Amino acid sequence: MSSTIDADEKSARTTRRRFLQGGSAAAGGIVLGTGASRAAETENLPPNVPEWMKAPGDPMGSQPYGTPSPYEKNVVKNISKNLKQYISASGRTPLQELDGIITPNGLFYERHHGGVPTIDPAQHRLMLHGMVERPLIFSMDDLRRFPSESRIHFLECSGNPGYTKPYGKTASDLVGLLSCAEWTGVSLKLVLQEAGLKPEAKWVIAEGADAAALTRSIPIEKCLEDAMLVYSQNGERLRPQQGYPLRLLLPGFEGNMNVKWLRRLHVTAEPAYSREETSKYTDLLPDGTAREFSFYMEAKSIITRPSGGQRLSAPGFHEITGIAWSGHGKIARVEVSVDDGKSWQEARLQEPVLTRALTRFRLPWQWDGRPAVIQSRAIDDTGYVQPTFAELLAVRGENFFYHNNAIWPWRIAADGEVTNALA
Ligand SMILES: Nc1nc2c(c(=O)[nH]1)N[C@H]1C(S)=C(S)[C@@H](COP(=O)(O)O)O[C@H]1N2
Ligand SMILES: [Mo]
C-alpha cells in the first residue's frame, strides 16, 4: 500500500515540477504570477482556515435559478458598443473564457434582425403547407408528442466576424458569433412525413414569427437529412434569444438559415429568393458574380487560450487550446504552429469528436519567453484545410463579407501579452 502512495506522491511532484516550474515563478513552489501578490494580503490561504469555512453559507432557495459566482461577473456576452444594438443586433460568445465545447445558455451568441419577440407558447403555432398531401397546423403540445431526439451541434453566423479587415482584439471579437449546444426537438423529416411530401417538393421556405419575419429557403435534401425542429437547448427550453418556443436547426448550415421563432414551413418547387438570400448573405466575387446559397460553414478553428487580450504570466509550460468545427462533418485533425506558420504539429482532439459540433483541441507547449506567433488550422473529414486570410482574399477578392473562415494567428510579445497578429 505505502509503495503505491509513494509512487503517486512522486508522480505528483514530478508533474508539478514539469508544468509549473520555469521563469521567475519557480522560486518557492506553486505560487504563480498575480496570485502571488494578492496572496500576501489575505488571511484565507494555507495554513489558515479561510473565512468562508467559519460560518454556514447562503441558505437553499436564495437562488431558485442559479447564476455564476459573483467573481465571474465579467464573463458576459461581448456586445459591440460601436453598433447601434436595437432592431438589428448581435452579441458574441466570450469564447476565450470558456472550456470544453458546450456554450452555457446565458452566453450563447445572439443575432436578430427585428428584436427578440416575447412569444406565449400556448398561442404559438407552426403552419406546414404547400406541396404536401395534408396541410397541418401544430401547437407546441402537438410537436412534443412526436418522438424526440437530442444532438450536439454548433451554430455560426456566416457574418462571423462580419468584417473583411481583421481588426478584432479577442477570440470573441473574431469568431464569437459561434456557439455549441445540445439541442432537443423533433426530426423535421418526421413532421414532413406526417403531412406527406408531394413529388414536386424541392424547397421548404421557413418563416420566423419576429417583426423581421425572417425567411429562408431550405433545400429539401437538408430537410430530410438532419434538420430538426428544436424546442430545448442544453436541457431547458430555448432561450427567447434563441427562438423560444421553436426554431429550425440545420446542422452545419449558416446561422441565418436556422430560423428562430419558427411559425411557417411552405413546401415549394422553387426557392423564395428572399432578402436574406439575395441582397444579404451572398458574396460578391472579383468577376462580378455573387456566391449565393452557399449553405455550409467551412472548416474553421481558433486558439482560445492563449488568445488576444490575455497574458502569459511566465515562460515555461503553457497548454495551447482552442476549438475547431466544420459544417461538412467531423474534424479530422487540427494542426498548430508556434513558429509563425513555418512548421505545424498535430494537436490532441478531445473525445468524442462529433459531427457538425465544436471539437476541443490541445497542444502542450514550452514557451521560451521570446516573441512568437501561434495559430491553428482545422482539417475536416472531407480533407478540406482551413485557409490563411491571404489565401481567402486571393480567391474571393476584397468585397466578400460572409463565410470568412480564415486562420487567426496570435502574436505573443516578450512580456507575454497576446494580440491579433493580423491587425
Ligand atoms: N426569425 C429569425 N430567425 C433568425 C434570425 C432572425 O433575426 N430572425 N437571425 C438569424 C441569424 S443571422 C443567425 S446568425 C441565427 C442566430 O441564432 P442565435 O441568435 O440563436 O445565436 O439565427 C438566425 N435566425
Ligand atoms: Mo447571422
Side-chain angles (χ1 to χ4, degrees):
M1 272 323 248
S2 70
S3 68
T4 320
I5 292 167
D6 287 351
D8 283 353
E9 176 56 18
K10 193 161 163 253
S11 91
R13 251 185 275 134
T14 319
T15 308
R16 203 181 295 152
R17 214 165 18 238
R18 193 161 1 111
F19 292 135
L20 297 185
Q21 208 173 60
S24 54
I30 46 174
V31 188
L32 288 174
T34 53
S37 50
R38 256 188 281 131
E41 297 154 24
T42 169
E43 296 291 303
N44 287 323
L45 294 180
N48 300 330
V49 171
E51 58 189 315
W52 39 87
M53 287 181 75
K54 293 177 182 163
D58 292 340
M60 177 54 65
S62 56
Q63 277 216 29
Y65 192 101
T67 53
S69 159
Y71 293 99
E72 300 298 319
K73 65 174 185 300
N74 295 329
V75 182
V76 291
K77 286 181 206 181
N78 168 9
I79 299 169
S80 166
K81 286 163 198 75
N82 304 326
L83 287 170
K84 209 175 141 212
Q85 298 281 355
Y86 174 48
I87 301 282
S88 177
S90 58
R92 291 159 193 263
T93 295
L95 296 167
Q96 66 279 7
E97 305 287 351
L98 303 181
D99 295 312
I101 60 166
I102 298 291
T103 313
N105 287 340
L107 297 176
F108 204 94
Y109 90 91
E110 32 180 321
R111 170 81 184 96
H112 15 85
H113 296 70
V116 179
T118 305
I119 298 180
D120 174 358
Q123 298 180 54
H124 186 73
R125 295 293 182 273
L126 173 67
M127 295 184 276
L128 171 53
H129 66 123
M131 291 175 166
V132 290
E133 305 296 343
R134 293 168 295 280
L136 293 167
I137 293 180
F138 302 97
S139 66
M140 287 309 298
D141 288 344
D142 294 335
L143 291 171
R144 287 183 61 84
R145 284 185 54 201
F146 280 88
S148 60
E149 59 181 31
S150 298
R151 295 208 309 263
I152 295 174
H153 290 300
F154 76 83
L155 187 71
E156 184 186 15
C157 180
S158 52
N160 192 24
Y163 38 80
T164 324
K165 301 280 177 288
Y167 60 70
K169 285 190 170 61
T170 66
S172 179
D173 293 343
L174 292 170
V175 293
L177 295 175
L178 164 81
S179 299
C180 185
E182 184 207 56
W183 307 98
T184 300
V186 43
S187 141
L188 176 55
K189 183 180 180 178
L190 284 185
V191 175
L192 291 175
Q193 281 170 348
E194 188 83 1
L197 285 176
K198 293 193 170 163
E200 320 86 89
K202 289 286 175 289
W203 293 82
V204 175
I205 297 166
E207 183 189 73
D210 52 339
L214 188 126
T215 300
R216 287 295 308 251
S217 311
I218 326 293
I220 197 76
E221 295 77 20
K222 184 66 175 176
C223 299
L224 299 176
E225 188 202 344
D226 61 353
M228 281 173 92
L229 301 179
V230 161
Y231 40 74
S232 287
Q233 168 190 357
N234 293 332
E236 62 182 358
R237 293 294 203 276
L238 286 171
R239 292 288 167 99
Q241 294 77 6
Q242 269 65 60
Y244 182 88
L246 188 68
R247 93 173 298 160
L248 183 61
L249 189 80
L250 304 170
F253 272 26
E254 66 177 352
N256 187 264
M257 301 179 74
N258 294 255
V259 176
K260 302 190 276 189
W261 314 294
L262 184 69
R263 72 181 290 267
R264 190 153 74 104
L265 294 170
H266 185 196
V267 183
T268 61
E270 298 290 340
Y273 295 105
S274 69
R275 171 186 183 272
E276 253 52 55
E277 53 205 27
T278 51
S279 95
K280 304 291 172 197
Y281 300 96
T282 54
D283 296 313
L284 186 58
L285 297 177
D287 68 359
T289 62
R291 212 166 79 109
E292 60 174 13
F293 296 122
S294 34
F295 304 142
Y296 282 105
M297 300 305 293
E298 300 281 9
K300 196 162 168 180
S301 70
I302 192 160
I303 294 171
T304 53
R305 195 160 48 97
S307 66
Q310 299 172 348
R311 202 164 186 283
L312 297 183
S313 53
F317 175 80
H318 291 276
E319 180 177 77
I320 293 179
T321 181
I323 43 177
W325 63 102
S326 168
H328 287 284
K330 288 191 167 109
I331 288 299
R333 222 160 69 238
V334 176
E335 294 171 346
V336 172
S337 170
V338 296
D339 57 6
D340 204 3
K342 288 189 223 24
S343 67
W344 296 84
Q345 305 171 57
E346 189 163 345
R348 195 160 38 85
L349 303 185
Q350 174 69 58
E351 298 285 342
V353 175
L354 301 169
T355 299
R356 295 166 181 157
L358 293 190
T359 297
R360 170 70 53 181
F361 67 85
R362 300 184 176 97
L363 184 84
W365 181 43
Q366 291 289 338
W367 180 45
D368 60 11
R370 286 202 290 261
V373 172
I374 62 171
Q375 58 200 304
S376 65
R377 69 179 177 208
I379 297 114
D380 70 15
D381 59 4
T382 70
Y384 176 92
V385 183
Q386 182 184 3
T388 63
F389 196 56
E391 286 167 345
L392 207 58
L393 285 174
V395 177
R396 303 245 196 101
E398 305 275 339
N399 289 327
F400 84 99
F401 174 86
Y402 302 102
H403 297 275
N404 181 344
N405 67 321
I407 292 172
W408 298 116
W410 300 116
R411 181 182 310 284
I412 297 173
D415 67 358
E417 197 173 330
V418 190
T419 53
N420 179 348
L422 294 184

